[in-house]
Amino acid sequence: MKIQYASYQDTIDALQKAMNEHPHLIRLQSIGETWEGRPIMLVTVSLDVTYADDKPALLYTGSIHAREWIGNELALKFIQYVIDNYRFNPKLQTALTRNTLYMVPCLNPDGFEYSRNHFSFWRKNRRNNGDGTFGVDLNRNFDAKFMRNQNTGSNTYGGPHAFSEPETCAIRDFVEAHDNIRIALDYHSQGNVFFPAHKFNHEVEIEGADLNILCANMNHEIKKVTGRQYGIHRGKPPAQLIHGSGREYYYRKGIIATVVEVGTRNIPDYMKNMSESVAENIPAVLCALSEAINYSPLAPQRVANFTIKSVDHEGVELEWQYVDRDDIYFELYRSENNKSPCGEESLIAITKSLSFRDSQLTSGQSYFYNIRAVDKVTKIKSPFSPELRLKTHLARHQSARTLFPSRELVGYLSENYLSKNKEHFGYNSMFIGVDKKRGVSLGVVQFDLSSLPSGSHIERAEFFLYPMNRVAAKIEKYGEWSVAILDADSISDIYDFKEVNEAKPLHTLGQTFESDKMTQGIWMKWLFNGVERTLLTELVAKNSLLLRLQGPKELPLGNDSQVMQFDIGYGPFGSGLHYRPNLELVYQVPEKLLALSPTRCNTIFKDRVLPDRLASGFDEAGEIVYGQMAFELNADLPVEKTVFRHACLTLRSCNSIASAKDMRFTIELVELQDVDFQAVKQRQKIEYIGYEVSNEQLKERAEHHFIFDSYSLQALERLHQAHTPFYFIIRATSESQATNALINWTACQDQHPAELKIGYINRRKNPLQAPQGLTAQVEGGVVKLTWQNPDDEDFVGCFVVRNRFHPPRSPFDGVKLYGGKDEYTLDNFGNPNLDKYYAVFSYDDVPNYSEPVVLFYDGKVQA
């Protein structure tokens, strides 16, 4: 028995004392009785508690599993926090004025006391099963997909039938009688992870964003206290879903519900670890309580049809629909990571408009958007709309790849399993860290870079890894996990533990993850810095990137495990393509340089044109004299696949002007029909090139460089597309009247003529045609999609996505089902009885994505 923890009687006594001292704030009642005759106590907290049942409520349940003492302990400490702070803390006052907290500190009193006094690892209640075994797992006894289990001795034995136990009946009856419950938190240990509810169909639900954001916002409060980050994980396909749990029962009734798994042990060191867990979760519970009203009938309606109107390389325009109401405005949130909080730090707009342009974004970057409506008088907020996901388009010069390791090149090596290490590749998971059984375990991921053109320059690189389970990381705040780049040429056998373990890294990626930052269910990301991108650029020539993943290599005395488990997307228990380690690259293909000399030069006076001479300034009468040049491409550069990256026009002057007057010379890119004074004077200017050159600068040096800005560079490319020569005018300006002031620029026939240099790359600019003829039919209980690919030599494949709520306008706005050259795919994890949208995008090797071909799938018709 851990004497620091409260017993069940201690809990009842503390709650009774709290109610006696604060009757306007706290109400205590029994909602049922256990097999052994203990009351199942529920405490109600609200200002004023007399009207508690009239307010939106949060239901808190703890210690449904006997050995998971955190639920009971946190409940007591939260009640004490309320008592100590409600008089002056405005955030707490608002939460308790607008909402009600229903708290069952311990839903399993018999098992809890048995765990405290007899067998600490006991999990179930204390039902006598009549066959020599005792106990039912109460979190398998609800009627949400209840699954019968004949093994009464099992720790997960769910009972003879749903709601066979007095404890689950008690909470069921209370919930049925209180339709004001809007959010439910079920506190467990261990894992430091949120498990939001699901509906057993593995498709996005309308409340999916609500569930993830509630957890993310609670996570944000936790992180502010201890720096710890919890995972957010909704479960894996489909057999590993939990049946008969309270969480799914609440969710089925329309309650936003999540399990919160706290700590790394069921009964941790109280003074050190449990106190941390309590401290970090108090503000998280308050955060959830504050949200209850936003899921009540008092809240505005959810924003409808939140979608992408348009997207480009630097911004996106979003739009949505809402009934016209003067008392409503909208809050819009943006993040670069999934499952991120929606708060002040991610709020990008408050608007009454039904659209918003988000600009100054990074090209080729993933973004996640969320929106909710707000009542400007009450400040009550709506539930969130389904999250929008997109990638901005690539910039004109960029290409991108998402690389996955082949199954034989991703796995783990264990110190104690030398003969079986090769079997760990392409099979289920990577285990990284150290434990008594495996010894030290290292992860190995090798990427084939041969699809990148040699000489490509890496502009951005990110390595992604999906952590699927952290339960075996049992030691709080111990160890770090890191990723090292190895020289693949120096390793003869990647399945050899000793060779990989002793390999000297070329570089260690700068970001390491400490154990309390190791989440579950949230993608981990290593962003390559400049030094690391330079190294990666060099490795492109070797066609391979070899990564070693490692965690702690030693265990403190008495500990048996500090291991993280990562999904690899292969094997019978891997979760497929969506969960494979991947490397996202944005790069530029090798650049080429084109140097052009002018094909024509003219000096244009008011009354004459001098060919093959280039001068500009003012004549003896003070009339302006123009210099004119024309350049024509002497190379076959396909318009559709040529992108100009930069350009510079170089001129050389033969003289300067003795006058002290401030004279300056500018270069213009122009559209020119006739080479005469009047035509030039009335020219259609396109853009100035570079900066003007002063007479003083002419005196200092003879060579001058005029660099094209972004707009003029695009104008140059448009002229190329129109197969038009490039015409330039050299124009002089003066602070006052100038005469006999001519600058002679090098003539065309001289050995050092003017020169136009253009750096360019070969890259397709525009998307392919969209696929055609998208159809869907159900075969063997699975939706099969078919379509016709476009007929184009640049066609690489099609990208297929599913979205439950609106037609996908981005290939990333939904669940990816397929990418490749086939003309069909199966929606293996989709529910064929649910309405949804499917979209297919064609893509080239940049990739540019086409407009989608979209199909609405009517699940009711198919059913």
Side-chain angles (χ1 to χ4, degrees), residues 174-195:
F174 183 82
V175 171
E176 295 285 348
H178 292 78
D179 60 3
N180 60 325
I181 297 173
R182 312 315 305 168
I183 295 176
L185 303 180
D186 189 16
Y187 266 83
H188 292 244
S189 63
Q190 54 176 305
N192 287 336
V193 59
F194 294 92
F195 286 120

Side-chain angles (χ1 to χ4, degrees), residues 38 98 133 146 172 267 279 574 635 649 662 681:
R38 292 184 176 89
R98 294 156 67 103
T133 68
F146 174 79
R172 176 200 62 191
I267 310 170
L649 179 62
D662 185 10
K681 195 167 185 178

Side-chain angles (χ1 to χ4, degrees), residues 28 94 98 209 286 293 314 362 370 398 415 446 571 666 708 759:
L28 185 63
T94 300
R98 294 156 67 103
L286 176 57
I293 196 170
E314 61 181 3
T362 301
N370 288 283
Q398 292 174 327
E415 179 182 24
Q446 188 166 8
T666 60
F708 286 61

Side-chain angles (χ1 to χ4, degrees), residues 201 203-206 802-806 814 831 834-837 856:
N201 59 37
E203 293 216 34
V204 179
E205 302 295 341
I206 191 69
R802 177 186 75 214
N803 191 302
R804 284 284 314 280
F805 309 108
H806 58 256
N831 186 331
L834 294 177
D835 295 352
K836 65 203 76 177
Y837 294 89
F856 172 69

